[in-house]
Amino acid sequence: ERVQVVVGEGERGAEQERAARTELAERIMRRVTQDGRIEAAPGLFLFRYSSPTGPLYGVSEPSFCVIVQGSKEVFVGEQRYCYDASRYLLVSAEVPAVGHIIEASMERPYLAVRLALDRALVTAVLAEATLDAARSYAAVAAGAVSRLDANLLDSVLRIVRLIDSPRDYSVLAPLA
């Protein structure tokens, strides 16, 4: 008698997400061999840290940030954002920022990807958004943390894969 095993959509999605994370981790560790960050392609930054760090001070720029391993806390302006491999950070404005890598070790270093966003695109999206005119400028958040789903993670992986084809990166990365 033969037993047929049926894999549910949730299980398949979880397996694809694990595979994407594993590949992203391998690609980052291959490119960033020591603690620090590199600009692997224009506007695409890869990070690796083997211990907690911080505070790191700077000015944020519009960007999309995904953690592959580890966790981080960021203060953007006066807002506190905590995110990890299950959530991403979206920053829409240039404001003072302070970051702390919270979870990182030699065995499981903090690994992350940051994609700088075109300021004109961010401005256009914000202009099209239906913001209540009564809200003050100060009340508009400069960042947000949201759940990272498998499809968005797959897009990040496709962009990171393009690093190996620099000529294709400039054309295809905006589409991914």
Side-chain angles (χ1 to χ4, degrees), residues 79 81 92 125-126 128-144:
Q79 292 291 317
Y81 301 98
S92 63
V125 169
L126 289 173
E128 289 179 22
T130 55
L131 295 175
D132 182 352
R135 290 173 65 183
S136 71
Y137 176 76
V140 177

Side-chain angles (χ1 to χ4, degrees), residues 5-6 11 21 23 25 28 38 51 59 68-69 78 91-92 96 106 114 116 120 127 133 137 147 154 157-159 168:
V5 176
V6 178
E11 292 173 42
R21 276 190 201 291
E23 183 178 343
I28 293 170
I38 64 162
S51 63
V59 175
V68 179
Q69 285 180 181
E78 294 184 17
V91 178
S92 63
M106 291 296 285
R114 181 171 66 84
Y137 176 76
R147 187 181 157 288
D154 183 58
L157 176 57
R158 289 193 320 255
I159 291 169
D168 295 337

Side-chain angles (χ1 to χ4, degrees), residues 47-113:
F47 299 80
R48 174 185 184 152
Y49 289 94
S50 55
S51 63
T53 65
L56 302 171
Y57 297 90
V59 175
S60 69
E61 66 178 329
S63 55
F64 170 72
C65 310
V66 172
I67 295 175
V68 179
Q69 285 180 181
S71 63
K72 187 173 186 178
E73 172 184 69
V74 178
F75 290 88
V76 178
E78 294 184 17
Q79 292 291 317
R80 177 180 177 249
Y81 301 98
C82 293
Y83 67 115
D84 55 24
S86 67
R87 297 173 292 211
Y88 66 89
L89 173 67
L90 184 63
V91 178
S92 63
E94 291 183 2
V95 292
V98 180
H100 300 266
I101 294 172
I102 298 169
E103 183 185 343
S105 68
M106 291 296 285
E107 298 78 30
R108 276 187 62 80
Y110 167 87
L111 302 172
V113 176

